[in-house]
Amino acid sequence: MNDDNFIEKRRFIIRLGKALHKFGTPAYRLESHLQTVSTTLGIEGYFLISPTSMTFVLQHDTEQEYNHVARVKPGELDLGSLARTFDLVEELTTGQRTLTEALNRLEEIANKPNPYGHKLTLLSFGVSAGAFAMLMDTSWNDVFWSAMLGLLVYGMVFWAERSSRMAEMLEPLAAVICAILACGIAILDPSINIPVVILSGIIIFIPGLALTLGLAELAARDLISGTARIMDAMMLLFKLYFGAVLGMTLGKVMFGESVHIEPYALPIYASWAAVPLLSMALVIIFKARLKDSPWGIFAGIVAYFSAMIGGLYLGESIGIFVGALAVGIYSNLFARWMKAPVSIALLQGIVILVPGSKTYIGLNAMISGETMLNQAHIGSQVFLIFMSLIAGLIFANVIVPPKRSL
């Protein structure tokens, strides 16, 4: 291999790694995928990935070795770009594209704008907040006001995309504003559950998926990345909780105490309808491709109803194991049939199961001693749900081994 060829191949591998990291690929999957691509290109590669740094060691022989260390920001899920990048690597390895063409295409994918635009994304934030309130079995009043706060939160996200100062304080500020407004809304509509409306409004920021991915990385013995991801998620959770507490305190000073009126409960079918609604909103929020969206929506339905049926016989926490097992098997089969990344279906299914909201509720119970909903032993329940999730995914990979590194 001549020097120019080695330079071009290492440039592609490094840009590929940075792109996949930007699109939210977990470290253990990214390292495995880069290893596979390097081997295919005839290069021996060693990789160390964490949420904020990347190390590449690439060599062809004892005389050709290249080390590259990069400081990066934690990635955000972009399932559409992830799928396009996966297809690009397939095209390169099968000879449909040259390295030069692949590098240009990778640049196009990385700079591709949001395919759904701002209006649909705004709608998806509102729908996701309202659908989550439906899953919490509260009331139609809570669902409506949660959706309104979800729309407001996207306005702040839109602002943060254009302002670095806003981006730095986005999550706690969103929690503060949602909490203040929820207290004001309670004066007009005393039937709302203020903490639940606040939680539903900021649910898009609750790091349940990040905590689950961190535990999955620890289970895969990727200790550095797993620990870093979990600590980052916990700090985000603390910021959100502090923002909510501060906002509620300011809201009570501004609007006074409201007298709560017990509302009518949601019918049982509401939570069933919430699952496809939430899954459809996540397709837009995660920027999944339209052709992949039915698989992602169905993954959420499989996860939720498998967990619900398992919960009837094994209890709620262990029932999550059944849901994770089912969606893990489904995702691995999807990857085989469609020749696509496992993450396309898996992450949209797992996000329905992750106990991010329960973690927030448990934190509230631990600090304030008050319960937002009538749920006992929330702390131990959260821990058991996380363990059930990871165990379900591990067993799914044993039953139907994944053939794709992504």
Side-chain angles (χ1 to χ4, degrees):
M1 184 185 299
N2 60 46
D3 289 342
D4 291 341
N5 197 10
F6 177 65
I7 289 171
E8 193 171 28
K9 287 183 177 180
R10 81 190 188 201
R11 183 183 296 125
F12 174 76
I13 292 170
I14 291 169
R15 290 187 182 177
L16 174 66
K18 290 181 178 179
L20 289 174
H21 185 278
K22 177 184 175 183
F23 304 148
T25 309
Y28 68 99
R29 289 190 181 276
L30 179 52
E31 290 176 357
S32 175
H33 188 64
L34 291 177
Q35 194 78 51
T36 301
V37 173
S38 299
T39 302
T40 303
L41 295 177
I43 292 178
E44 191 172 354
Y46 305 91
F47 309 95
L48 181 61
I49 310 295
S50 78
T52 57
S53 66
M54 306 181 74
T55 302
F56 301 79
V57 179
L58 303 168
Q59 61 183 38
H60 176 61
D61 52 42
T62 55
E63 295 182 358
Q64 289 182 307
E65 180 174 303
Y66 182 77
N67 299 335
H68 181 85
V69 180
R71 177 77 173 177
V72 291
K73 294 182 179 180
E76 296 182 1
L77 274 181
D78 186 340
L79 296 182
S81 296
L82 176 64
R84 295 182 189 95
T85 305
F86 179 86
D87 291 344
L88 171 63
V89 173
E90 292 288 301
E91 292 168 1
L92 176 64
T93 54
T94 55
Q96 298 177 49
R97 287 183 186 269
T98 65
L99 268 174
T100 302
E101 292 172 342
L103 280 166
N104 293 334
R105 174 59 179 157
L106 192 57
E107 192 72 21
E108 290 176 11
I109 294 172
N111 296 322
K112 185 179 178 63
N114 186 340
Y116 294 104
H118 296 298
K119 292 181 181 179
L120 274 178
T121 308
L122 170 68
L123 178 64
S124 68
F125 267 68
V127 170
S128 62
F132 176 78
M134 292 167 70
L135 285 174
M136 299 285 279
D137 291 327
T138 54
S139 68
W140 287 119
N141 306 65
D142 290 347
V143 172
F144 173 77
W145 291 115
S146 297
M148 293 300 102
L149 291 182
L151 297 177
L152 174 68
V153 165
Y154 177 70
M156 300 179 69
V157 171
F158 181 79
W159 184 8
E161 290 175 353
R162 288 153 178 77
S163 170
S164 58
R165 288 188 178 182
M166 182 63 185
E168 291 177 1
M169 60 181 180
L170 172 62
E171 294 88 355
L173 182 61
V176 170
I177 293 177
C178 285
I180 292 174
L181 290 177
C183 292
I185 292 167
I187 301 299
L188 301 174
D189 185 356
S191 62
I192 70 166
N193 184 327
I194 294 176
V196 171
V197 170
I198 296 169
L199 174 59
S200 300
I202 61 173
I203 191 61
I204 198 68
F205 296 132
I206 298 294
L209 183 58
L211 286 168
T212 304
L213 291 176
L215 289 170
E217 288 174 339
L218 289 178
R221 301 293 181 90
D222 204 323
L223 305 182
I224 295 175
S225 180
T227 303
R229 193 182 295 273
I230 288 174
M231 292 307 299
D232 181 55
M234 290 304 298
M235 288 306 301
L236 176 56
L237 191 65
F238 292 154
K239 289 190 290 185
L240 288 169
Y241 181 74
F242 174 77
V245 171
L246 177 61
M248 289 178 68
T249 303
L250 294 175
K252 288 177 181 178
V253 171
M254 294 167 63
F255 302 107
E257 291 281 353
S258 61
V259 179
H260 181 67
I261 298 175
E262 195 66 30
Y264 291 107
L266 288 174
I268 189 170
Y269 67 80
S271 61
W272 297 353
V275 176
L277 281 174
L278 181 56
S279 295
M280 285 187 284
L282 290 175
V283 166
I284 298 173
I285 293 171
F286 291 163
K287 304 174 187 175
R289 297 183 300 184
L290 277 178
K291 72 175 186 178
D292 295 327
S293 59
W295 301 98
I297 293 169
F298 190 65
I301 295 171
V302 167
Y304 180 80
F305 287 102
S306 298
M308 186 179 72
I309 294 170
L312 294 175
Y313 298 98
L314 303 173
E316 181 182 357
S317 301
I318 302 299
I320 296 294
F321 168 81
V322 179
L325 179 66
V327 78
I329 292 173
Y330 166 80
S331 301
N332 289 341
L333 290 174
F334 158 78
R336 289 187 177 196
W337 292 335
M338 302 302 294
K339 296 182 179 179
V342 175
S343 305
I344 297 297
L346 181 64
L347 294 182
Q348 292 186 75
I350 286 297
V351 77
I352 301 294
L353 302 176
V354 293
S357 60
K358 290 182 181 292
T359 308
Y360 180 96
I361 294 170
L363 183 64
N364 179 72
M366 181 178 67
I367 294 175
S368 69
E370 299 176 358
T371 56
M372 293 165 54
L373 296 169
N374 186 23
Q375 294 181 323
H377 311 295
I378 190 73
S380 58
Q381 188 183 54
V382 168
F383 180 76
L384 192 54
I385 288 174
F386 273 123
M387 295 302 101
S388 297
L389 265 174
I390 302 305
L393 295 178
I394 291 173
F395 275 82
N397 288 338
V398 172
I399 295 170
V400 182
K403 289 190 174 181
R404 307 283 173 175
S405 50
L406 285 182

